[in-house]
Amino acid sequence: MATPENAPRWADFLNPDDETLDRLRHAGRGATSLVAVGTPWDTVGGQWEALAIAPLERGLAALDVLALPFDGGHPVFADLARNELVVLVPAGTAIEGPQGVRALKPGTYLVVPHGPAGGFVAAWLSRPTRGCTRYVDAVRVREAVLVAETRRVKHARAR
């Protein structure tokens, strides 16, 4: 899918503007929570699992491949401490993907953003809508990671 040169991309989150950085720095101690994978919290209800994609840049490139809308209510956040993108997926669908993609299933814990934005450790990039969580398809995420990696390699070889 072709996009205009100046269209926003998920990769733009790698370099947040000064206002965003300031908001995250001053979010306070309650800006993140430790949550057991699969349990309801905040605006995400019901059963869920997650895919953690490292590094963050690679995960954002995969979201660009998916053309996932920024305001679509999909639960996606950056774990800035681990340099990973975390994408919430329906329960029972998170399986290990290509190298750098971890499946987070019940029995594991995750630092998640709390409140409208999150904080400096974990921050929402696309916040779920209360009562209407739109999980991302795990198979599509794993495929997008592979496509993004192929594009990166091709781009590197073209230089």
Side-chain angles (χ1 to χ4, degrees):
M1 169 184 258
T3 59
E5 279 293 313
N6 58 352
R9 300 172 311 132
W10 283 94
D12 295 338
F13 283 109
L14 283 174
N15 299 306
D17 58 30
D18 291 338
E19 181 182 328
T20 301
L21 282 173
D22 191 54
R23 179 177 41 86
L24 294 174
R25 281 189 193 109
H26 297 95
R29 293 188 324 195
T32 57
S33 302
L34 186 63
V35 173
V37 170
T39 60
W41 100 93
D42 203 17
T43 58
V44 178
Q47 297 296 308
W48 55 275
E49 293 178 346
L51 294 176
I53 305 165
L56 176 60
E57 180 178 16
R58 186 175 183 220
L60 293 171
L63 295 182
D64 280 334
V65 169
L66 287 174
L68 197 67
F70 294 110
D71 59 355
H74 298 89
V76 175
F77 65 91
D79 180 334
L80 301 167
R82 294 182 56 100
N83 192 32
E84 294 179 330
L85 179 78
V86 179
V87 180
L88 300 191
V89 299
T93 65
I95 61 171
E96 297 299 320
Q99 184 176 359
V101 177
R102 294 183 301 122
L104 304 173
K105 298 179 178 224
T108 60
Y109 284 82
L110 184 62
V111 173
V112 298
H114 187 76
F120 206 66
V121 173
W124 286 109
L125 302 182
S126 175
R127 187 168 173 73
T129 305
R130 184 173 297 280
C132 185
T133 300
R134 299 179 67 195
Y135 295 111
V136 184
D137 182 85
V139 172
R140 289 187 60 222
V141 171
R142 288 190 305 272
E143 290 171 355
V145 168
L146 292 172
V147 170
E149 188 64 18
T150 300
R151 288 180 182 174
R152 186 194 65 76
V153 169
K154 281 176 132 177
H155 181 71
R157 286 183 183 155
R159 288 182 176 199

